[in-house]
Amino acid sequence: METPASLLHQCPLLLPQNRAKTVYEGFLTAQGRDFHLRIVLPEDLQLKNARLLCSWQLRAILSGYHQIVQQRMQHSSDLMTFMMELKMVLEVALKNKQELHVSLPPPQFYSSIIEEIGTLGWDKLVYVDTCFSTIKLKAEDASGREHLITLKLKTKGEDCLYPSKGHILPLARVLSFPYPAESPDCFVDFPVSFSVSWTPKSSIVNIHSQFLTALESLKTFWDVMDEIDEKTWVLEPEKPTRSATTRRIALGNNASINIDVDPRHPTMLPECCFLGADHVVKPLGIKLSSNIHLWDPENSLLQNLKDVLEIDFPARAILEKSDFSMDCGICYAYQLDGAIPDQVCDNSQCGQPFHQICLYEWLRGLMTSRQSFNIMFGECPYCSKPITLKMSGRKP
């Protein structure tokens, strides 16, 4: 039978909060950690009608054990018995949070993976984890660029249960690998989707072969993008990945052109958008329209842009020595939350660039500014000449 002394001995940090001893509050200790809880008993002190209030940490750990806790509360004869069983459940829950038992596949699984890598060539292997669930391979395209493909072998899991004192506690989740019955998940840095053709008789060698075929189909696209990166000043993205199809290229006079290249037809005319003061970019837009007949898919994309726009793209070294400025005239920063200045004063004597959000906040704070739909009219913070802000789809 429960006595105050025995409860205090088992749970020294759980104390009664009133004389009737219908409310207990304190801490339950398990694996060296203390967890706050509060127990409210009815007047007859019957646990089956009691309420257990847990801290958010304790509630999170016991999230999968609510039924068990309720069951023990219904069947425990007294508070001390319930607290001992609650502590046991908590210790099991903590242990399961820390451990994940993975069933070892048969030796044939490992030997088949090793054999497949050996057939492919160990020089193609970049990384493999200790479970052989993640494998990284490399390959070169015809231009000598190195590419990586990551294979993640799919897993299947089921809960392993064991009985304890008439009820069942989850022990762990047991994992297995269905490879080669199912294809691994493949991750590549491509501008287009990559999917593999797979049968239960396929192997890593087959995936690598399909990877090489995909690399060759994208060779021209990467040649085009590499030439742009090498021979122009690319403002965005700062560090383009192999999957990036857009480039924002500096033109000088605080103007730039944003292009979006089709990976399947990389030498065709890309989507173009000019950014900068109207007096600078309007003539370029007119040239693009009038010279579009000069576009020759046999030439490189960069050469076609030069011919159609009748310009030479300035190199970064040249622009950095000139008065070319890319810092925002309001916040004096180049990048702001990933964006760079794309609004430019149309005054040819000014041409100061601004972030869209900075200029928006500036104009919104001026009494003289006005707005018509998605266009704001006001004064340039630098030269006080009229400036127009056309707000894009993304809200400033």
Side-chain angles (χ1 to χ4, degrees):
M1 180 168 177
E2 175 186 336
T3 64
S6 59
L7 179 61
L8 182 64
H9 176 74
Q10 291 295 335
C11 304
L13 300 180
L14 185 68
L15 301 174
Q17 302 298 301
N18 57 12
R19 289 190 176 184
K21 296 183 179 179
T22 58
V23 180
Y24 284 79
E25 187 169 1
F27 297 88
L28 179 62
T29 303
Q31 295 191 6
R33 296 170 59 184
D34 295 329
F35 299 90
H36 181 261
L37 76 164
R38 180 183 176 91
I39 299 175
V40 180
L41 300 168
E43 291 183 0
D44 60 2
L45 304 182
Q46 293 297 311
L47 273 170
K48 61 182 179 181
N49 298 319
R51 286 189 300 140
L52 174 63
L53 307 175
C54 304
S55 64
W56 67 268
Q57 295 100 329
L58 181 56
R59 189 164 56 248
I61 294 172
L62 295 176
S63 59
Y65 298 79
H66 289 163
Q67 275 190 318
I68 298 171
V69 173
Q70 286 290 337
Q71 183 191 54
R72 292 301 88 205
M73 188 176 288
Q74 291 290 322
H75 294 88
S76 295
S77 58
D78 51 49
L79 181 58
M80 185 185 73
T81 303
F82 170 71
M83 291 305 298
M84 292 176 63
E85 295 205 354
L86 179 62
K87 182 176 181 179
M88 181 190 70
V89 173
L90 178 57
E91 288 178 342
V92 172
L94 287 170
K95 181 180 179 182
N96 289 341
K97 291 284 183 181
Q98 297 167 355
E99 296 182 358
L100 182 65
H101 298 285
V102 180
S103 65
L104 293 177
Q108 293 85 349
F109 168 79
Y110 296 103
S111 61
S112 63
I113 294 291
I114 293 173
E115 183 179 350
E116 289 176 18
I117 296 175
T119 302
L120 175 64
W122 287 97
D123 58 317
K124 306 294 193 303
L125 180 66
V126 176
Y127 168 82
V128 61
D129 65 359
T130 55
C131 297
F132 279 58
S133 61
T134 301
I135 301 171
K136 292 184 180 181
L137 305 172
K138 65 180 178 180
E140 284 191 359
D141 60 26
S143 296
R145 290 176 290 255
E146 185 175 286
H147 304 266
L148 297 179
I149 179 171
T150 300
L151 313 180
K152 288 190 176 292
L153 276 59
K154 297 174 183 176
T155 59
K156 289 185 177 180
E158 58 181 274
D159 287 331
C160 176
L161 308 175
Y162 76 93
S164 175
K165 292 189 178 180
H167 54 277
I168 294 177
L169 296 179
L171 175 62
R173 175 160 286 266
V174 179
L175 302 180
S176 61
F177 299 101
Y179 179 89
E182 295 183 19
S183 166
D185 291 325
C186 300
F187 301 90
V188 294
D189 189 15
F190 282 3
V192 296
S193 61
F194 174 73
S195 57
V196 297
S197 177
W198 186 265
T199 70
K201 294 184 178 180
S202 298
S203 67
I204 293 174
V205 178
N206 300 121
I207 294 179
H208 195 266
S209 176
Q210 296 176 55
F211 181 50
L212 285 173
T213 302
L215 291 180
E216 291 311 304
S217 70
L218 292 167
K219 175 186 175 300
T220 304
F221 167 74
W222 286 317
D223 288 343
V224 164
M225 305 309 278
D226 282 354
E227 183 184 22
I228 292 172
D229 293 338
E230 292 168 6
K231 297 182 179 179
T232 68
W233 184 0
V234 174
L235 302 174
E236 291 182 299
E238 188 174 354
K239 295 179 180 179
T241 61
R242 290 297 177 193
S243 59
T245 61
T246 61
R247 295 291 191 274
R248 182 177 172 187
I249 308 170
L251 301 175
N253 294 324
N254 293 323
S256 59
I257 179 175
N258 192 79
I259 62 172
D260 193 349
V261 182
D262 183 352
R264 296 301 187 190
H265 308 283
T267 59
M268 300 299 290
L269 178 67
E271 292 185 24
C272 299
C273 177
F274 294 100
L275 302 168
D278 285 347
H279 73 276
V280 177
V281 301
K282 275 188 176 180
L284 293 172
I286 294 172
K287 287 181 180 179
L288 178 62
S289 299
S290 59
N291 294 337
I292 197 170
H293 65 281
L294 299 176
W295 195 277
D296 184 0
E298 297 299 318
N299 294 332
S300 71
L301 186 144
L302 183 59
Q303 185 59 52
N304 274 314
L305 285 175
K306 290 180 180 179
D307 295 340
V308 171
L309 298 178
E310 300 177 5
I311 62 171
D312 282 323
F313 287 89
R316 177 168 188 157
I318 296 174
L319 287 176
E320 286 183 332
K321 292 178 182 178
S322 68
D323 294 330
F324 184 78
S325 171
M326 284 307 300
D327 291 343
C328 173
I330 296 175
C331 71
Y332 302 107
Y334 176 61
Q335 284 206 352
L336 180 65
D337 295 332
I340 67 175
D342 57 3
Q343 306 295 317
V344 180
C345 177
D346 196 36
N347 179 10
S348 59
Q349 302 299 316
C350 177
Q352 177 64 45
F354 307 96
H355 291 114
Q356 182 182 129
I357 180 62
C358 294
L359 187 57
Y360 172 78
E361 294 294 341
W362 173 273
L363 294 178
R364 195 172 66 163
L366 295 179
M367 296 294 294
T368 55
S369 298
R370 60 188 179 88
Q371 182 172 348
S372 176
F373 298 102
N374 67 329
I375 302 177
M376 290 193 72
F377 304 89
E379 296 180 353
C380 173
Y382 265 57
C383 66
S384 299
K385 297 293 183 182
I387 191 170
T388 301
L389 170 62
K390 297 178 183 178
M391 290 177 286
S392 64
R394 64 172 188 257
K395 189 176 180 181

